Amino acid sequence: MNIEDIRSAVADTLEARGLSNRTFLREIRSGKRDDGPYMIGALACAALRDSPPAA
């Protein structure tokens, strides 16, 4: 999974949940919102997915 996949997944999920602000969704997809809470959460989840399970 790369950053573009994560951006797309975040934007697609927000759109599916009813967010209709096209400018905001476009900014997420283009990387202008990488420091926002949605992307930070998604990046943290992606990092956890790739880490070994806790002992």
Side-chain angles (χ1 to χ4, degrees), residues 34-53:
D34 283 355
D35 60 342
Y38 297 114
M39 282 299 298
I40 290 171
L43 291 168
C45 288
L48 284 173
R49 189 190 112 212
D50 294 335
S51 66

Side-chain angles (χ1 to χ4, degrees), residues 22-43:
R22 294 281 174 218
T23 301
F24 184 73
L25 295 170
R26 199 169 28 255
E27 288 174 353
I28 289 174
R29 286 188 174 99
S30 70
K32 293 180 181 174
R33 297 283 181 158
D34 283 355
D35 60 342
Y38 297 114
M39 282 299 298
I40 290 171
L43 291 168

